[in-house]
């Protein structure tokens, strides 16, 4: 029997989780339950008990004697590697410098990348109506954020965002970078980031996780 339920939808934050499930090969350990966001299942009482914030992704332990709920995609990624990546294939040991660089990237993704690209999704899907000048400001800011990621790759000089291997640091950003073209962001302006996306898409587990 699986250990955890994972409540997901096919969104950038949802796909972070499916990518890591594939990389860690833990499909038998977690049960994926798709939430219908259009039907607002994430706002139903039963779901709010799991995540009072009413958003996917969320994780719930199946051990009723030891209930445990976790939300925030990057916290779930950290939790899954702490449980199932004991050899640190896709993570770094707790308290190492690269562990904290991963935490830094996690917070940067949530605080800088997601809010701006999320608004751009809204504009493109015609759900958010902004003036031309506000839209221009969004693009100025998202290009600055992508350039920060490009500069991190340049200074690391390993092809990866943290240390010298593909880790959850990439998983934080890949579902967003993959949507650059949809977001009308020219990824060729960020060659190292573009190359990271291309290399990552050649990893079958990542391609499968992103296709969820
Ligand atoms: N910071 C949160 C953001 C979660 C989030 O915004 N989830 C979206 C889908 S990507 C959602 O559930 N939207 C539906 C809603 O807000 O009702 C995370 O990283 O998990």
């Amino acid at each position: 029997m699986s250990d955890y339920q994972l409540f997901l939808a096919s969104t950038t934050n949802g796909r972070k989780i499916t990518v890591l499930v594939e990389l860690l090969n833990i499909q038998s350990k977690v049960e994926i339950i798709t939430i219908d966001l259009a039907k607002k299942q994430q706002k139903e009482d039963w779901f709010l008990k799991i995540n009072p914030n009413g958003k996917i992704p969320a994780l719930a332990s199946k051990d009723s004697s030891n209930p445990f709920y976790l939300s925030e995609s990057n916290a779930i990624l950290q939790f899954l590697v702490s449980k199932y990546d004991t050899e640190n294939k896709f993570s770094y040991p707790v308290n190492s410098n690269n562990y904290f660089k991963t935490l830094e990237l996690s917070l940067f993704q949530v605080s800088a990348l997601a809010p701006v690209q999320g608004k751009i999704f809204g504009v493109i899907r015609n759900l958010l109506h902004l003036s031309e000048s506000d839209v221009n400001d969004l693009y100025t800011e998202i290009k600055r954020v992508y350039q920060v990621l490009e500069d991190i790759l340049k200074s690391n000089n390993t092809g990866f965002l943290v240390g010298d291997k593909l880790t959850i640091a990439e998983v934080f950003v890949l579902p967003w970078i993959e949507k650059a073209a949809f977001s009308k962001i020219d990824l060729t302006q960020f060659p190292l980031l573009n190359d990271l996306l291309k290399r990552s898409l050649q990893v079958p587990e990542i391609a499968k996780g992103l296709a969820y």
Side-chain angles (χ1 to χ4, degrees):
M1 196 183 90
S2 53
D3 302 333
Y4 297 97
Q5 291 176 313
L6 284 169
F7 298 91
L8 306 180
S10 175
T11 68
T12 43
N13 290 313
R15 286 192 288 270
K16 289 174 183 173
I17 312 294
T18 50
V19 167
L20 187 64
V21 167
E22 292 297 325
L23 285 172
L24 294 177
N25 199 18
I26 53 170
Q27 296 86 342
S28 64
K29 306 277 182 197
V30 295
E31 179 193 0
I32 291 182
I33 297 164
T34 301
I35 293 295
D36 190 334
L37 296 180
K39 287 193 179 148
K40 301 262 174 225
Q41 282 185 308
Q42 73 282 16
K43 309 296 184 204
E44 290 175 11
D45 286 348
W46 68 271
F47 188 84
L48 294 174
K49 289 195 180 93
I50 295 168
N51 179 10
N53 195 27
K55 290 179 191 288
I56 64 91
L59 171 146
S61 163
K62 284 185 146 183
D63 179 359
S64 53
S65 66
N66 188 18
F68 176 66
Y69 303 127
L70 192 65
S71 59
E72 289 297 324
S73 54
N74 293 356
I76 296 171
L77 295 180
Q78 291 281 9
F79 178 80
L80 292 176
V81 290
S82 82
K83 283 266 163 204
Y84 302 115
D85 188 29
T86 48
E87 290 174 14
N88 293 122
K89 278 171 77 181
F90 302 106
S91 58
Y92 290 103
V94 175
N95 289 341
S96 63
N97 282 357
N98 277 338
Y99 173 85
F100 287 104
K101 291 304 285 181
T102 306
L103 177 61
E104 177 189 64
L105 204 92
S106 164
L107 295 173
F108 178 72
Q109 182 271 310
V110 173
S111 64
L113 191 151
V116 183
Q117 198 166 345
K119 282 203 185 101
I120 290 176
F121 288 159
V123 170
I124 288 173
R125 292 193 175 118
N126 223 10
L127 300 169
L128 183 62
H129 304 281
L130 297 179
S131 68
E132 198 181 323
S133 135
D134 286 345
V135 172
N136 287 341
D137 288 348
L138 280 181
Y139 278 96
T140 304
E141 178 59 6
I142 200 66
K143 284 182 198 159
R144 190 193 69 78
V145 169
Y146 273 49
Q147 188 60 50
V148 172
L149 295 171
E150 181 78 4
D151 291 346
I152 291 171
L153 286 169
K154 192 169 179 196
S155 72
N156 267 0
N157 201 21
T158 59
F160 300 101
L161 289 162
V162 175
D164 58 1
K165 63 186 179 191
L166 188 140
T167 66
I168 52 170
E170 276 71 34
V171 182
F172 297 151
V173 301
L174 280 172
W176 298 89
I177 306 302
E178 199 217 358
K179 291 287 169 212
F182 173 82
S183 308
K184 300 183 185 161
I185 302 163
D186 178 8
L187 205 52
T188 61
Q189 287 181 10
F190 312 95
L192 299 176
L193 206 48
N194 197 12
D195 180 61
L196 174 63
L197 175 65
K198 281 190 184 152
R199 280 183 288 118
S200 302
L201 287 172
Q202 281 164 11
V203 177
E205 292 83 359
I206 295 184
K208 188 166 178 206
L210 286 175
Y212 166 72

